Amino acid sequence: MSAQLRSVMPAVPPSAGVAAPTPFKVYTQRDLERIEALSRLTPEQRFEMKVVSSVLPFRVNQYVIDELIDWKNVPDDPMFQLTFPQRGMLAPEHYDRIAELVRSGAGKEEMERAVGAVRHELNPHPADQMALNMPRDEHGNRLEGMQHKYRETVLFFPSQGQTCHSYCTFCFRWAQFVGDKELRIAASEAETLHAYLRQHTEVTDLLFTGGDPMVMKTRHLRDYLEPMLAPEYDHIQTIRIGTKALTFWPHRFLDAEDADDLIRLLERMVDGGKHVAIMAHYNHWKELDTDVARAAIRRVRATGAVIRAQGPLIAHINDDPAVWARLWRDEVKLGIVPYYMFVERDTGARNYFEVPLVRAWEIYREAMQQVSGLARTARGPSMSASPGKVEVQGVTEIGGEKVFVLRFIQGRNPEWVQRPFFAKFDPEATWFDDLEPAFGEEKWFWEDEYAAIREEKLGQAA
Ligand SMILES: *Cc1c(COP(=O)(O)O)cnc(C)c1O
Ligand code: SF4
C-alpha cells in the first residue's frame, strides 16, 4: 500500500480505546496457589498440577485465564488443556517418582536430579535440530541461534524472544523453557544473522521464531528487521514471524506499551517491499473468539502484513474434524490464510497428545470436506521429521497392499519434494519413525542420500 493511500485509509486504527496499557500479569509454577480460578478444582487436581509442572514448563497469563478458558468446562475445556498441566502428561512411573518427592518435601538438589532424569527421557531434542540444522560460517564455526535446513528459508531464534506469553502444554520446544542451557537455541547477535544472509543469496525467506519473537520489545525486533530493507537484502522477499501472541496476548498489538511502534514497524517493512507474514499459531477457533483477539487481527492486517495460520493436531484439544472446519472457516472470515496442520512431534508429553496418523488424516479430510476452497489452503497432516516435512496424503490399497501415501512438502534435498512414496499401513503409527517402506522395499527412495547428508553434517560437528 502506498503512503498516500494509507493517509486516507485508517491503516493504523486507534488501539483498543483503552487509556492505560492493560497490564501483563503472568503466573508460573511457583504461583499456582495464587491463581484464584484454580480454587474450584479439588486439592488432588492441584497437587497433580504441581507435580507435572515440576517437569514440564508452565506459564499462563491473566488474559488466558479470564478470556480464553471456560472454567465451567474444566478440565475438558480445550484452552485449559492447552495451558494447564494434566496428570496424564507424565507417564505413570515418572509421575509417581516426582509425586513421591513432592509429597515427602524432598530437598532442592534431590528434586532437580530426579526432574532432570525424567526430562532426559522425554526426547528433549527431536529431529536432530542442533547437530543437523545449525549453519556454519566460512571458518566452520557454528552459528548459534540459527537453523538453515531448507534452501529458501533461514530460521532465526533471537535471544530476547525465547519465551512466550503463555506456554502450550504440548510445546515441542518445551526443553528450552525449563532452563536447561544445553537445550536452548538462541542468538544474541543481529550481525551474525545479517552477515549470513548477505552471503546466502539463495535464501528468500527469513523466519523469526522462538519461543515467541513477539515477547521482544519492539526496539529489539526493529534492530533485526529494519536492516533487511537495505538493497543487499533484496533477495529476502519474505519476513515471517512465528507467534502465538494473537492468541495469548493480543494486547501486544493494541495497547501494550510499544504496540504502536510495532504496528509502524510492520508497516515500514511492507512499504519497503517485503512480504511480511505473521505465522500465527492456532489450535482452536476459541482463540479467535474474543473481541480483543479480533481487534488485534484487524490491526495487524491493516499494516499490509498477511496472517497465516498453522498449528498441530492435538488429542484433548482439537482431535475433531468439526473443530478444524470451524477454525479454518473463522480464520478465512477474519482474513487469515490457513497454512499448515502439523502432526505433534515425538517429544515431551507426546503420549498424552499424540493422534494416530490414520486418524490425523481422517480429521484433515473430514474437515476439508466441510469448508470452501478458500479454507482448503492448509497443508497436512505434516510431520517435521529430520529428512523433511512429510505429509500424509492418504491411505489406499495398491496391488493388494494397504499403504500410506506420503510426500515431502519440504526436503533436505529439494529434489525429493512432491514425489509420492509409500509406507506400510500401520493403524498405530503416530510419527514418521514408526513407518516402514511398503511393498517389501528395504529403504526409502531418499534414504541413502539422507544418510550421506547426515554423515557430512555430523562429521563437521565432530
Ligand atoms: C517448516 C520449516 C520451514 C518452512 O517451510 P515452508 O514449507 O516454506 O513453510 C523452514 N525451516 C524449517 C526447519 C522448517 O521446519
Ligand atoms: S507458543 Fe509455540 S513456542 Fe510458545 S509454548 Fe506454544 S508451541 Fe511452544
Side-chain angles (χ1 to χ4, degrees):
M1 197 189 303
S2 73
Q4 206 178 3
L5 249 182
R6 182 163 290 123
S7 68
V8 293
M9 285 176 64
V12 179
S15 23
V18 194
T22 308
F24 181 69
K25 196 168 166 199
V26 72
Y27 303 90
T28 63
Q29 202 234 359
R30 290 188 299 279
D31 317 308
L32 267 172
E33 306 288 340
R34 300 216 325 266
I35 302 176
E36 264 173 56
L38 292 183
S39 61
R40 67 188 75 210
L41 302 186
T42 65
E44 183 61 22
Q45 281 172 312
R46 289 202 295 272
F47 176 78
E48 289 170 4
M49 285 188 184
K50 197 168 165 191
V51 173
V52 175
S53 59
S54 307
V55 177
L56 298 170
F58 169 72
R59 183 175 159 90
V60 69
N61 72 62
Q62 199 69 45
Y63 169 80
V64 174
I65 293 172
D66 293 343
E67 306 264 348
L68 291 186
I69 294 173
D70 174 4
W71 289 94
K72 290 189 296 296
N73 188 25
V74 159
D76 296 332
D77 179 71
M79 297 297 97
F80 182 71
Q81 295 279 331
L82 172 70
T83 48
F84 277 85
Q86 312 293 325
R87 179 175 180 147
M89 291 176 189
L90 289 184
E93 72 269 22
H94 291 159
Y95 180 87
D96 291 343
R97 212 191 297 168
I98 304 299
E100 185 50 40
L101 294 175
V102 174
R103 231 178 257 124
S104 66
K108 191 166 172 246
E109 225 170 274
E110 191 182 1
M111 194 70 187
E112 277 176 6
R113 214 171 324 115
V115 164
V118 170
R119 284 177 185 157
H120 272 276
E121 286 175 46
L122 298 178
N123 189 22
H125 258 272
D128 299 327
Q129 286 186 52
M130 286 280 208
L132 297 189
N133 301 345
M134 222 182 261
R136 287 164 191 278
D137 65 12
E138 64 274 27
H139 312 293
N141 302 315
R142 275 202 338 188
L143 300 174
E144 304 283 332
M146 287 167 64
Q147 287 189 19
H148 190 183
K149 179 170 175 180
Y150 307 126
R151 190 176 51 197
E152 295 81 14
T153 306
V154 163
L155 268 57
F156 185 68
F157 299 73
S159 63
Q160 307 93 336
Q162 297 312 305
T163 180
C164 303
H165 294 103
S166 277
Y167 289 149
C168 307
T169 41
F170 56 78
C171 179
F172 76 94
R173 298 231 167 97
W174 64 275
Q176 68 175 36
F177 300 140
V178 292
D180 190 335
K181 287 211 183 61
E182 262 175 72
L183 303 175
R184 195 173 151 130
I185 318 173
S188 50
E189 278 260 29
E191 188 39 43
T192 314
L193 169 72
H194 295 148
Y196 187 80
L197 292 178
R198 283 195 300 272
Q199 280 192 347
H200 289 263
T201 51
E202 78 279 16
V203 176
T204 59
D205 288 40
L206 168 60
L207 199 168
F208 288 84
T209 184
D212 191 329
M214 288 299 180
V215 304
M216 275 194 278
K217 292 265 179 268
T218 300
R219 66 188 156 83
H220 292 305
L221 203 53
R222 190 193 302 134
D223 290 343
Y224 292 117
L225 288 183
E226 264 186 349
M228 295 292 118
L229 294 174
E232 60 264 42
Y233 304 101
D234 275 352
H235 55 289
I236 307 296
Q237 296 173 2
T238 302
I239 311 277
R240 306 193 208 179
I241 305 175
T243 183
K244 204 171 172 75
L246 284 166
T247 293
F248 282 154
W249 189 237
H251 293 284
R252 175 70 184 97
F253 306 93
L254 294 168
D255 59 329
E257 205 187 329
D258 55 357
D260 291 349
D261 293 339
L262 172 63
I263 294 299
R264 278 190 285 268
L265 172 63
L266 297 179
E267 268 184 2
R268 247 189 333 274
M269 299 308 292
V270 172
D271 283 347
K274 300 298 184 193
H275 176 126
V276 177
I278 304 298
M279 308 304 291
H281 173 190
Y282 285 117
N283 309 99
H284 199 286
W285 53 263
K286 279 174 172 262
E287 297 166 56
L288 301 161
D289 205 26
T290 74
D291 289 339
V292 188
R294 283 187 291 261
I297 291 163
R298 269 198 305 277
R299 199 170 189 218
V300 167
R301 288 191 61 225
T303 67
V306 176
I307 307 175
R308 297 178 194 277
Q310 54 187 27
L313 170 64
I314 304 280
H316 304 281
I317 295 177
N318 62 13
D319 54 340
D320 175 354
V323 169
W324 282 90
R326 173 145 180 207
L327 172 64
W328 288 334
R329 266 199 304 263
D330 289 359
E331 284 168 356
V332 169
K333 191 167 160 189
L334 294 166
I336 300 173
V337 184
Y339 187 55
Y340 266 128
M341 174 203 269
F342 291 120
V343 177
E344 173 64 354
R345 294 201 201 205
D346 54 341
T347 179
R350 67 168 306 188
N351 292 325
Y352 188 75
F353 292 119
E354 67 193 359
V355 175
L357 293 177
V358 60
R359 183 65 197 139
W361 168 68
E362 285 166 3
I363 290 170
Y364 176 84
R365 189 172 58 123
E366 285 170 33
M368 280 280 158
Q369 288 168 353
Q370 297 175 42
V371 299
S372 98
L374 291 191
R376 289 185 188 172
T377 50
R379 293 177 295 174
S382 168
M383 294 175 273
S384 297
S386 183
K389 276 195 175 62
V390 181
E391 184 187 65
V392 180
Q393 293 215 283
V395 175
T396 191
E397 224 178 84
I398 297 178
E401 183 175 339
K402 198 170 179 186
V403 295
F404 280 115
V405 184
L406 308 170
R407 68 158 175 162
F408 279 109
I409 295 174
Q410 279 286 9
R412 282 189 191 273
N413 178 348
E415 291 185 7
W416 303 342
V417 171
Q418 296 287 3
R419 240 176 96 176
F421 65 108
F422 304 93
K424 248 188 240 169
F425 180 72
D426 174 353
E428 272 152 40
T430 57
W431 188 249
F432 185 68
D433 296 355
D434 302 333
L435 298 177
E436 285 174 38
F439 315 126
E441 282 166 18
E442 268 170 30
K443 46 187 159 182
W444 308 106
F445 78 85
W446 43 267
E447 197 164 325
D448 288 340
E449 241 181 299
Y450 170 63
I453 295 172
R454 199 182 135 83
E455 204 157 302
E456 189 197 323
K457 302 255 179 195
L458 293 176
Q460 288 171 352

